Amino acid sequence: MNTLSINNLSLTYKNGFQAIKNISLDIKNGMFGLLGPNGAGKSSLMKTIVGLQKPTSGTLLFNEVDIIKNPDYIKQNLGFLPQDFGVYPKVSAYDLLEHIALLKGITDKNQRKNQILSLLEKVNLSDFTKKEVHTFSGGMKQRFGVAQALLGDPKIIIVDEPTAGLDPEERNRFNTLLNDISQDVIVILSTHLVEDVRNLCSEMAVMNHGQILRKGNPGKLIAELDNKIWSKPIDKTELETYGSSYEIISRQLLERELHITVFSEESPKDFSSVTPLLEHVYFHTLTQKP
Ligand SMILES: Nc1ncnc2c1ncn2[C@@H]1O[C@H](COP(=O)(O)OP(=O)(O)O)[C@@H](O)[C@H]1O
Ligand SMILES: [Mg+2]
């Protein structure tokens, strides 16, 4: 079992902006979803965990080893798919993986070759080993990103917003791949897509404004909202009135009719009960004052 233990972690950037505020999380094997809107601080947290930037305070332990003091320890065990992979070079998939494998210290030539070929197979790119990576589609690039992250058998894999920009089919394929690899390693998935977390993750946290607002098992967090989510079609002009008496967690147009969904401990008059979903957990968490 691998463990990542984040304790009272804070990060203030050079311009004085505090992007991470006293975060503590314990993460074990399996898929962990870090869910939050744009600007929440997800990438800041991911980059700090992988050692690209040092926190201002707090501790980070991977398998009991202090990885702020020993960043090499996490680097040796890490696969990272950053949000911005940068520019893809005009080299073939195979050659780029070979280059990255060498950087990761896979020095044995045969071992390198076997691993690259089996990874390309795993991510469904076997037919494109000689194709230049910069010509790949978005989905192919992301699957290539996973292949490079998996080189060297990492014990912790961090993927930052990997499905943003993928079409539904590519997203499905990518998610299936992540699910397959998360058995014996830690996979941290950062995303703003509630559905990906619901489909894949056994543990999750909601992050906003640099803080962890809620954490736990998605199913349990959803069950906490049983009989607390209600909806009603309203007229546009009533929105403000409802907003002042109820905690509106979402509003939605259904066939041009405005429906509001509210959180309420008691059954509000003329509302119908709604079966809670993870998106209700998410929006309810985000509407609460920190
Ligand atoms: N290098 C930096 N210097 C100053 N502020 C930064 C830097 N990187 C990110 N930020 C700010 O930190 C906040 C969180 O950004 P980020 O971690 O990228 O969030 P997310 O990945 O959840 O969208 C944003 O307000 C962003 O502008
Ligand atoms: Mg980000």
Short mmCIF file of all heavy atoms in Angstrom, two decimals, residues 86-125:
data_model
loop_
_atom_site.label_atom_id
_atom_site.label_comp_id
_atom_site.label_asym_id
_atom_site.label_seq_id
_atom_site.Cartn_x
_atom_site.Cartn_y
_atom_site.Cartn_z
N GLY A 86 2.72 21.50 -22.71
CA GLY A 86 3.62 22.34 -23.48
C GLY A 86 3.55 21.96 -24.94
O GLY A 86 2.58 21.38 -25.40
N VAL A 87 4.59 22.28 -25.65
CA VAL A 87 4.61 22.02 -27.09
C VAL A 87 5.05 20.59 -27.34
O VAL A 87 6.02 20.12 -26.74
CB VAL A 87 5.58 23.00 -27.78
CG1 VAL A 87 5.58 22.79 -29.29
CG2 VAL A 87 5.22 24.44 -27.45
N TYR A 88 4.30 19.90 -28.17
CA TYR A 88 4.71 18.54 -28.52
C TYR A 88 5.74 18.61 -29.65
O TYR A 88 5.51 19.25 -30.67
CB TYR A 88 3.50 17.72 -28.97
CG TYR A 88 2.67 17.27 -27.80
CD1 TYR A 88 1.73 18.11 -27.24
CD2 TYR A 88 2.86 16.01 -27.24
CE1 TYR A 88 0.98 17.71 -26.15
CE2 TYR A 88 2.11 15.60 -26.16
CZ TYR A 88 1.17 16.45 -25.61
OH TYR A 88 0.44 16.05 -24.53
N PRO A 89 6.85 17.98 -29.46
CA PRO A 89 7.92 18.08 -30.45
C PRO A 89 7.61 17.27 -31.71
O PRO A 89 6.75 16.39 -31.71
CB PRO A 89 9.13 17.50 -29.73
CG PRO A 89 8.56 16.59 -28.70
CD PRO A 89 7.22 17.13 -28.32
N LYS A 90 8.32 17.60 -32.76
CA LYS A 90 8.12 16.89 -34.02
C LYS A 90 8.94 15.61 -34.04
O LYS A 90 9.82 15.44 -34.87
CB LYS A 90 8.55 17.79 -35.19
CG LYS A 90 7.62 18.95 -35.43
CD LYS A 90 7.99 19.65 -36.73
CE LYS A 90 7.06 20.81 -36.97
NZ LYS A 90 7.37 21.53 -38.20
N VAL A 91 8.68 14.75 -33.07
CA VAL A 91 9.33 13.43 -33.08
C VAL A 91 8.25 12.37 -32.92
O VAL A 91 7.15 12.65 -32.45
CB VAL A 91 10.40 13.27 -31.99
CG1 VAL A 91 11.57 14.21 -32.19
CG2 VAL A 91 9.80 13.48 -30.61
N SER A 92 8.60 11.15 -33.28
CA SER A 92 7.61 10.07 -33.24
C SER A 92 7.29 9.70 -31.79
O SER A 92 8.07 9.97 -30.87
CB SER A 92 8.14 8.85 -33.97
OG SER A 92 9.14 8.23 -33.18
N ALA A 93 6.13 9.08 -31.62
CA ALA A 93 5.69 8.64 -30.29
C ALA A 93 6.77 7.76 -29.66
O ALA A 93 7.14 7.94 -28.50
CB ALA A 93 4.37 7.89 -30.41
N TYR A 94 7.28 6.83 -30.46
CA TYR A 94 8.28 5.92 -29.92
C TYR A 94 9.52 6.67 -29.44
O TYR A 94 10.01 6.47 -28.33
CB TYR A 94 8.67 4.86 -30.96
CG TYR A 94 9.57 3.81 -30.37
CD1 TYR A 94 9.05 2.62 -29.88
CD2 TYR A 94 10.96 4.02 -30.27
CE1 TYR A 94 9.86 1.67 -29.29
CE2 TYR A 94 11.78 3.08 -29.68
CZ TYR A 94 11.24 1.90 -29.20
OH TYR A 94 12.04 0.96 -28.61
N ASP A 95 10.02 7.56 -30.31
CA ASP A 95 11.26 8.26 -29.96
C ASP A 95 11.11 9.16 -28.74
O ASP A 95 12.02 9.29 -27.93
CB ASP A 95 11.76 9.08 -31.16
CG ASP A 95 12.28 8.17 -32.27
OD1 ASP A 95 12.43 6.96 -32.01
OD2 ASP A 95 12.51 8.67 -33.39
N LEU A 96 9.93 9.78 -28.63
CA LEU A 96 9.71 10.66 -27.48
C LEU A 96 9.66 9.84 -26.19
O LEU A 96 10.24 10.22 -25.17
CB LEU A 96 8.43 11.48 -27.67
CG LEU A 96 8.14 12.55 -26.60
CD1 LEU A 96 9.35 13.47 -26.40
CD2 LEU A 96 6.92 13.38 -26.97
N LEU A 97 8.99 8.68 -26.26
CA LEU A 97 8.95 7.82 -25.07
C LEU A 97 10.35 7.32 -24.72
O LEU A 97 10.71 7.23 -23.54
CB LEU A 97 8.01 6.63 -25.29
CG LEU A 97 6.51 6.95 -25.25
CD1 LEU A 97 5.69 5.68 -25.46
CD2 LEU A 97 6.11 7.61 -23.93
N GLU A 98 11.14 7.03 -25.74
CA GLU A 98 12.50 6.57 -25.48
C GLU A 98 13.31 7.65 -24.75
O GLU A 98 14.03 7.39 -23.79
CB GLU A 98 13.19 6.21 -26.80
CG GLU A 98 14.66 5.92 -26.60
CD GLU A 98 15.12 4.67 -27.31
OE1 GLU A 98 14.82 3.57 -26.81
OE2 GLU A 98 15.75 4.82 -28.36
N HIS A 99 13.13 8.88 -25.23
CA HIS A 99 13.81 10.01 -24.61
C HIS A 99 13.41 10.16 -23.14
O HIS A 99 14.25 10.32 -22.26
CB HIS A 99 13.45 11.28 -25.42
CG HIS A 99 14.01 12.53 -24.85
ND1 HIS A 99 15.35 12.85 -24.91
CD2 HIS A 99 13.40 13.55 -24.19
CE1 HIS A 99 15.54 14.01 -24.31
NE2 HIS A 99 14.37 14.47 -23.87
N ILE A 100 12.09 10.09 -22.89
CA ILE A 100 11.60 10.25 -21.52
C ILE A 100 12.04 9.07 -20.64
O ILE A 100 12.42 9.25 -19.48
CB ILE A 100 10.06 10.42 -21.51
CG1 ILE A 100 9.67 11.71 -22.26
CG2 ILE A 100 9.51 10.46 -20.09
CD1 ILE A 100 8.20 11.84 -22.59
N ALA A 101 12.05 7.86 -21.24
CA ALA A 101 12.49 6.68 -20.48
C ALA A 101 13.94 6.83 -20.04
O ALA A 101 14.30 6.48 -18.90
CB ALA A 101 12.32 5.42 -21.34
N LEU A 102 14.75 7.39 -20.90
CA LEU A 102 16.15 7.61 -20.54
C LEU A 102 16.26 8.62 -19.40
O LEU A 102 17.02 8.42 -18.45
CB LEU A 102 16.95 8.11 -21.76
CG LEU A 102 17.39 7.00 -22.73
CD1 LEU A 102 17.87 7.59 -24.05
CD2 LEU A 102 18.47 6.12 -22.10
N LEU A 103 15.45 9.69 -19.50
CA LEU A 103 15.44 10.69 -18.42
C LEU A 103 15.00 10.06 -17.10
O LEU A 103 15.46 10.46 -16.03
CB LEU A 103 14.49 11.85 -18.75
CG LEU A 103 14.91 12.80 -19.88
CD1 LEU A 103 13.83 13.85 -20.10
CD2 LEU A 103 16.24 13.47 -19.55
N LYS A 104 14.10 9.08 -17.18
CA LYS A 104 13.63 8.42 -15.97
C LYS A 104 14.60 7.36 -15.47
O LYS A 104 14.34 6.67 -14.50
CB LYS A 104 12.24 7.80 -16.20
CG LYS A 104 11.11 8.83 -16.22
CD LYS A 104 9.76 8.17 -16.03
CE LYS A 104 8.63 9.20 -15.98
NZ LYS A 104 7.34 8.59 -15.69
N GLY A 105 15.70 7.18 -16.21
CA GLY A 105 16.74 6.27 -15.73
C GLY A 105 16.56 4.82 -16.12
O GLY A 105 17.10 3.92 -15.48
N ILE A 106 15.75 4.56 -17.16
CA ILE A 106 15.62 3.18 -17.63
C ILE A 106 16.75 2.94 -18.63
O ILE A 106 16.62 3.21 -19.82
CB ILE A 106 14.24 2.94 -18.28
CG1 ILE A 106 13.12 3.41 -17.33
CG2 ILE A 106 14.05 1.47 -18.64
CD1 ILE A 106 11.75 3.46 -17.96
N THR A 107 17.88 2.45 -18.13
CA THR A 107 19.10 2.43 -18.93
C THR A 107 19.23 1.18 -19.80
O THR A 107 19.90 1.21 -20.82
CB THR A 107 20.35 2.54 -18.01
OG1 THR A 107 20.17 1.62 -16.93
CG2 THR A 107 20.52 3.94 -17.48
N ASP A 108 18.60 0.09 -19.37
CA ASP A 108 18.71 -1.14 -20.14
C ASP A 108 17.91 -1.05 -21.43
O ASP A 108 16.70 -0.80 -21.42
CB ASP A 108 18.21 -2.32 -19.29
CG ASP A 108 18.38 -3.65 -20.00
OD1 ASP A 108 19.45 -4.26 -19.84
OD2 ASP A 108 17.45 -4.04 -20.74
N LYS A 109 18.61 -1.25 -22.56
CA LYS A 109 18.00 -1.01 -23.86
C LYS A 109 16.78 -1.91 -24.15
O LYS A 109 15.74 -1.44 -24.60
CB LYS A 109 19.05 -1.20 -24.96
CG LYS A 109 18.67 -0.48 -26.24
CD LYS A 109 19.77 -0.52 -27.28
CE LYS A 109 19.20 0.02 -28.59
NZ LYS A 109 20.09 -0.22 -29.71
N ASN A 110 16.94 -3.19 -23.85
CA ASN A 110 15.83 -4.13 -24.10
C ASN A 110 14.64 -3.85 -23.20
O ASN A 110 13.49 -3.89 -23.64
CB ASN A 110 16.29 -5.57 -23.89
CG ASN A 110 16.93 -6.12 -25.14
OD1 ASN A 110 16.52 -5.75 -26.26
ND2 ASN A 110 17.94 -6.95 -24.98
N GLN A 111 14.96 -3.59 -21.95
CA GLN A 111 13.89 -3.29 -20.99
C GLN A 111 13.11 -2.06 -21.44
O GLN A 111 11.88 -2.03 -21.38
CB GLN A 111 14.55 -3.03 -19.62
CG GLN A 111 13.57 -3.06 -18.46
CD GLN A 111 14.18 -2.38 -17.22
OE1 GLN A 111 15.40 -2.18 -17.13
NE2 GLN A 111 13.33 -2.04 -16.28
N ARG A 112 13.86 -1.07 -21.93
CA ARG A 112 13.25 0.18 -22.39
C ARG A 112 12.31 -0.10 -23.56
O ARG A 112 11.16 0.33 -23.58
CB ARG A 112 14.36 1.13 -22.81
CG ARG A 112 14.00 2.59 -22.68
CD ARG A 112 15.23 3.47 -22.67
NE ARG A 112 16.07 3.28 -23.84
CZ ARG A 112 17.39 3.10 -23.79
NH1 ARG A 112 18.03 3.09 -22.64
NH2 ARG A 112 18.08 2.92 -24.91
N LYS A 113 12.82 -0.86 -24.51
CA LYS A 113 12.03 -1.16 -25.70
C LYS A 113 10.75 -1.92 -25.34
O LYS A 113 9.66 -1.57 -25.79
CB LYS A 113 12.88 -1.99 -26.68
CG LYS A 113 12.19 -2.25 -27.99
CD LYS A 113 13.09 -2.99 -28.96
CE LYS A 113 12.27 -3.39 -30.18
NZ LYS A 113 13.05 -4.25 -31.08
N ASN A 114 10.91 -2.95 -24.51
CA ASN A 114 9.73 -3.74 -24.11
C ASN A 114 8.68 -2.88 -23.41
O ASN A 114 7.49 -3.01 -23.66
CB ASN A 114 10.14 -4.90 -23.19
CG ASN A 114 10.95 -5.93 -23.94
OD1 ASN A 114 10.87 -6.02 -25.18
ND2 ASN A 114 11.76 -6.70 -23.23
N GLN A 115 9.19 -2.03 -22.53
CA GLN A 115 8.25 -1.22 -21.77
C GLN A 115 7.52 -0.22 -22.68
O GLN A 115 6.30 -0.04 -22.57
CB GLN A 115 8.98 -0.48 -20.65
CG GLN A 115 8.06 -0.24 -19.48
CD GLN A 115 8.72 0.45 -18.31
OE1 GLN A 115 8.43 1.61 -18.07
NE2 GLN A 115 9.61 -0.24 -17.61
N ILE A 116 8.25 0.40 -23.58
CA ILE A 116 7.64 1.38 -24.48
C ILE A 116 6.58 0.71 -25.36
O ILE A 116 5.46 1.20 -25.49
CB ILE A 116 8.71 2.07 -25.35
CG1 ILE A 116 9.59 2.97 -24.47
CG2 ILE A 116 8.07 2.88 -26.48
CD1 ILE A 116 10.82 3.52 -25.16
N LEU A 117 6.92 -0.45 -25.91
CA LEU A 117 5.96 -1.12 -26.79
C LEU A 117 4.73 -1.58 -26.02
O LEU A 117 3.60 -1.45 -26.51
CB LEU A 117 6.64 -2.31 -27.50
CG LEU A 117 7.69 -1.90 -28.55
CD1 LEU A 117 8.35 -3.13 -29.17
CD2 LEU A 117 7.09 -1.00 -29.64
N SER A 118 4.94 -2.07 -24.81
CA SER A 118 3.76 -2.55 -24.07
C SER A 118 2.90 -1.38 -23.61
O SER A 118 1.67 -1.49 -23.55
CB SER A 118 4.16 -3.49 -22.94
OG SER A 118 4.42 -2.78 -21.77
N LEU A 119 3.53 -0.25 -23.31
CA LEU A 119 2.73 0.93 -22.92
C LEU A 119 1.94 1.49 -24.10
O LEU A 119 0.78 1.86 -23.97
CB LEU A 119 3.63 2.02 -22.33
CG LEU A 119 4.04 1.81 -20.87
CD1 LEU A 119 5.03 2.87 -20.43
CD2 LEU A 119 2.81 1.83 -19.97
N LEU A 120 2.59 1.52 -25.27
CA LEU A 120 1.88 2.02 -26.46
C LEU A 120 0.67 1.14 -26.76
O LEU A 120 -0.39 1.62 -27.16
CB LEU A 120 2.82 2.10 -27.66
CG LEU A 120 3.78 3.30 -27.61
CD1 LEU A 120 4.89 3.16 -28.65
CD2 LEU A 120 3.03 4.62 -27.81
N GLU A 121 0.84 -0.15 -26.50
CA GLU A 121 -0.27 -1.08 -26.67
C GLU A 121 -1.38 -0.79 -25.65
O GLU A 121 -2.55 -0.69 -25.99
CB GLU A 121 0.30 -2.50 -26.45
CG GLU A 121 -0.74 -3.57 -26.33
CD GLU A 121 -0.72 -4.49 -27.53
OE1 GLU A 121 0.39 -4.86 -27.97
OE2 GLU A 121 -1.82 -4.83 -28.00
N LYS A 122 -0.97 -0.60 -24.42
CA LYS A 122 -1.92 -0.35 -23.33
C LYS A 122 -2.77 0.90 -23.60
O LYS A 122 -3.96 0.93 -23.29
CB LYS A 122 -1.13 -0.17 -22.03
CG LYS A 122 -1.96 -0.15 -20.78
CD LYS A 122 -1.05 -0.20 -19.56
CE LYS A 122 -1.79 -0.74 -18.35
NZ LYS A 122 -0.88 -1.19 -17.32
N VAL A 123 -2.15 1.94 -24.14
CA VAL A 123 -2.91 3.17 -24.38
C VAL A 123 -3.46 3.23 -25.81
O VAL A 123 -3.90 4.29 -26.28
CB VAL A 123 -2.07 4.44 -24.08
CG1 VAL A 123 -1.61 4.46 -22.64
CG2 VAL A 123 -0.88 4.56 -25.03
N ASN A 124 -3.43 2.06 -26.47
CA ASN A 124 -4.06 1.98 -27.78
C ASN A 124 -3.41 2.85 -28.85
O ASN A 124 -4.10 3.45 -29.68
CB ASN A 124 -5.52 2.42 -27.65
CG ASN A 124 -6.43 1.34 -28.16
OD1 ASN A 124 -6.15 0.76 -29.22
ND2 ASN A 124 -7.50 1.06 -27.44
N LEU A 125 -2.08 2.93 -28.82
CA LEU A 125 -1.39 3.73 -29.83
C LEU A 125 -0.39 2.88 -30.62
O LEU A 125 0.49 3.41 -31.28
CB LEU A 125 -0.66 4.92 -29.18
CG LEU A 125 -1.54 6.04 -28.61
CD1 LEU A 125 -0.68 7.07 -27.87
CD2 LEU A 125 -2.36 6.74 -29.69
#
